[in-house]
Structures are given as C-alpha cells and as structure tokens.
Amino acid sequence: MSQPLDLAAVQAHTAGTSIKDAWQARLERWYAHPGLYRWSLSNPLTRWLTRRRTRKLFDLMAGFVHSQVLLACVRLDLFRALHQAPAHLNDLAHRTGLAPAVLQRLVLSAVALGLLEHRSQGRFGLGPLGVPLAQHEGIAQMIEHNHLLYQDMQDPVQFLNNAWSGGMAEYWPYAHQQAAPVASPQAEVDKFTRYSQLMAASQGFVVQEILSSYFFDEHRCVLDVGAGKGRFVSELAAHAPHLKFKMFDLPPVLALAREGLQAKGLTERVALHPGSFLDDPLPEGADLITLVRVAHDHPDVVVRQILHKAFAALPVGGVLLLAEPMAQPEDEAGQPSASADAYFHFYLLAMGAGRLRTPQELQTMMQEAGFTHVEQVPNAMPIHARILLGRKSQCLPSVSQKSVN
C-alpha cells in the first residue's frame, strides 16, 4: 500500500517561491507520487490523460526508430511506387530486392505511423502522411539529408560540446566565419551545387507561405538577399509579373542560378549581384528586400549586420520582409507543436553558428536596425515559416559601418 501524499511537506518545500513556482512544484510532487498513476488509471475521468502522457513519452523514446522507418521508405522509393497504384507485399519485395518477411516489418511500421495503410485484397497504399512525400521531392530530400544530423548526434552530450565538427557543418560551410579548405576547384563547385540544390528543393513550402500571405502590388523591385538558385525569385516573378528583381548571393551560387533564370526567360527581369553580406554593401534600387531562411543560419552579430545593410540599401518607405521558421513564443496558443523548435535548435547548432529565434527577438533586432512599423504577417502554416515586415520610415545618419560590425 502506497504512502499518502504529504501536503504539509509540499507546502514547506515551496515556501518562499512565487505562486506559479509553488503550484508547479506541487504538481511535480503529485505526478511523482506512486499512488497517483494507479489512481488515474482507475478513474474514467483521468484515464485518457494518463494514457496520452504515456503514449507521448513512448513516442519520444521511439522517435529515432520512427525517423529511420521514414528514411527507409524514402530510400526504397515506396511512396512514389504506391502513389502509382496500391501493391501487394510480394510485389514491393520484388521491387526493392528485400525478402517479404523482412520488408513486412518496415511496411507494417509505416502503417502504424500513418505513412502507409491497408487496402483491399491484402494490398498496401499511401497513408495520409505518405501522400505529401510522394508529391513533394523537397521533403524526401530533407529526410535523406537528415542522416547527417543523426550521425552528428549519436552521442548528444559530445555533440553539444563539439557541435561544429560533424558532417552537417561540412555540408553548410557558408554558415561558418572560416570555411573548411576545399580540395580542388571542382570540389568547390560541387559543394555549392549540393547545398544550393537542397535549398531550392526544400524552399517550396516557405515560398508558398509568403506568396499566399503578402501582397506585392505596392512594390516595383525586389532584392532577394541570400537568393540561392532563385527558387523564390522565380516563383514570385510568375506570381507578380510587374516586378523587377535583384539577386544577391555568393558568386558561385549565382553562377548556378544564371542557367535556371535563362531557361525560365527571366534574364531581362532579374539582375545578379555577386557578393557577401559579411563584406559587401547590399545593392540599392529595390523598394522591397527579402530575407528568406537567411537569419536563422547566422549568429546575432551577423544578423544585425545584414539588417543594418538592408536598412541602408532601402529608400525611405521601403520594406524588409523576413521569413523563416521561428521559435514558438512561450505564451502563444494554438500554434504548431513546440516539438518543431527542438528539431531546429539542434539542426542549426549542427549546421553552424545560427539559432532559432522568436518573432519578438527578430522584431527587436529589426527595430534596432532602424525599421519601424515592424509587424508579424499572419500565415496559415507557421511551422514552415513565420513572416515579419519592417518599414524604413526615415534615414538614420548616425548608423555607421563600425556600429554594425
């Protein structure tokens, strides 16, 4: 028989703390009491909550297995195969080269995760979570890319002590002040091609959030900073035919972008400006500057430098649009699960010196750079990106190059 909960001890333990802290401490003692678990399961009013907590804790423990099931399905191309038509296990085994008894474990695991589902006549088809994976190549590429993060985090404590020495940091060399030496000119080209292609493929959802949430009618020319291969510029050009564009990025990246712009007939509307926002000023002449998934790749000092340079490059009345995944504010309700924050915190740590920031942090940094009327634009899927706007309402002659470095 378990001992009763000593409320007097709880009250003594929490004396001198705030009401909120005292209440949280009391809850922790209640949760830890061995009799509470048995009581909660026996009570129909609390049983669902206990089961839900237990299931969530198990999902945390099993999360790596879940991610590997997802990766295996991507590598075996099961989503695209089943998007064509449902199939029997033996047909999938013949297609993948795996023994049916072995593949069955993977397929049933994918069914349990909602990636696949049972169909008639003993066949398997796409589940509700598998459909996007069959239709959007960028998701599959990010899932494949994540194996670098998993390798880096095999020992999470060691990773925290030495995060920038793994495969992820090598993959994103621009995120470091000092990039690793490259073996040859061709290796340099391959490096930029590799991550530029991934950025372009994985940017689709962010681009759609921007295009569906912000009206570009008031603008005439857009400068996209960190433009990559031009995925955002290309889609915005089709969305808003009246706009002219400038693209600013490292010279090897814009060299890759040029061919795609020519193929889409955009060379007359897009001017390329090679450079580094660490060392060079941003080109002037645009009334809207966009930073799409740029700030979170860099430390605060670099982000402040970019924001000051963006302010200097804009005319009075110009607008800065910043869009990227952002941390869920502590007091915000009804938004995507904060579990997405956990992913981005560690991904950005493995990648380099960037970090996940809340909208409030970025708004403050924009205001410090001189922007006014800073606001968050509501959008349908904040897990992909949140959108901030700031306007240059006046020049700030006191801002010097020294103050932003």
Side-chain angles (χ1 to χ4, degrees), residues 242-309:
H242 71 284
L243 289 174
K244 296 286 188 179
F245 297 91
K246 299 175 184 288
M247 288 173 52
F248 183 88
D249 211 320
L250 298 171
V253 176
L254 291 188
L256 296 171
R258 191 184 305 276
E259 182 177 348
L261 295 172
Q262 290 175 344
K264 295 173 182 175
L266 294 174
T267 53
E268 295 298 320
R269 294 175 62 190
V270 182
L272 302 181
H273 296 267
S276 167
F277 46 60
L278 295 176
D279 306 312
D280 305 313
L282 298 181
E284 298 181 353
D287 61 330
L288 173 66
I289 292 180
T290 54
L291 293 172
V292 181
R293 294 200 309 181
V294 172
H296 69 2
D297 291 349
H298 299 280
D300 289 356
V301 63
V302 174
V303 175
R304 289 190 173 94
Q305 183 176 0
I306 298 171
L307 293 176
H308 278 87
K309 290 184 176 183

Side-chain angles (χ1 to χ4, degrees), residues 167-189:
M168 187 68 75
E170 183 180 351
Y171 192 95
W172 300 107
Y174 74 82
H176 300 271
Q177 295 288 349
Q178 294 181 346
V182 181
S184 66
Q186 184 58 47
E188 180 82 2
V189 173

Side-chain angles (χ1 to χ4, degrees), residues 132-359:
L133 291 157
Q135 296 177 325
H136 300 285
E137 181 64 24
I139 303 177
Q141 289 189 25
M142 282 301 300
I143 292 169
E144 180 67 46
H145 168 70
N146 273 345
H147 83 277
L148 295 175
L149 178 62
Y150 302 152
Q151 290 175 354
D152 289 352
M153 292 186 62
Q154 287 185 26
D155 184 336
V157 176
Q158 181 180 358
F159 167 78
L160 288 170
N161 285 321
N162 193 18
W164 296 355
S165 62
M168 187 68 75
E170 183 180 351
Y171 192 95
W172 300 107
Y174 74 82
H176 300 271
Q177 295 288 349
Q178 294 181 346
V182 181
S184 66
Q186 184 58 47
E188 180 82 2
V189 173
D190 293 343
K191 174 187 67 177
F192 284 104
T193 301
R194 178 187 63 196
Y195 74 66
S196 295
Q197 288 176 342
L198 179 64
M199 286 289 290
S202 62
Q203 201 172 34
F205 291 110
V206 178
V207 172
Q208 291 308 310
E209 288 300 303
I210 299 172
L211 298 186
S212 62
S213 305
Y214 183 69
F215 295 99
F216 294 85
D217 295 355
E218 70 171 278
H219 302 292
R220 57 177 180 77
C221 183
V222 178
L223 166 63
D224 190 28
V225 177
K229 294 181 67 177
R231 172 74 182 269
F232 173 59
V233 165
S234 297
E235 296 202 25
L236 179 54
H239 177 80
H242 71 284
L243 289 174
K244 296 286 188 179
F245 297 91
K246 299 175 184 288
M247 288 173 52
F248 183 88
D249 211 320
L250 298 171
V253 176
L254 291 188
L256 296 171
R258 191 184 305 276
E259 182 177 348
L261 295 172
Q262 290 175 344
K264 295 173 182 175
L266 294 174
T267 53
E268 295 298 320
R269 294 175 62 190
V270 182
L272 302 181
H273 296 267
S276 167
F277 46 60
L278 295 176
D279 306 312
D280 305 313
L282 298 181
E284 298 181 353
D287 61 330
L288 173 66
I289 292 180
T290 54
L291 293 172
V292 181
R293 294 200 309 181
V294 172
H296 69 2
D297 291 349
H298 299 280
D300 289 356
V301 63
V302 174
V303 175
R304 289 190 173 94
Q305 183 176 0
I306 298 171
L307 293 176
H308 278 87
K309 290 184 176 183
F311 185 88
L314 283 168
V316 173
V319 175
L320 171 69
L321 184 153
L322 188 155
E324 64 183 33
M326 300 179 196
Q328 177 174 312
E330 191 171 323
D331 60 347
E332 189 171 347
Q335 295 295 334
S337 169
S339 62
D341 290 7
Y343 170 83
F344 284 111
H345 283 311
F346 275 84
Y347 185 94
L348 294 171
L349 177 61
M351 177 180 169
R355 68 182 182 92
L356 193 68
R357 300 174 179 89
T358 65

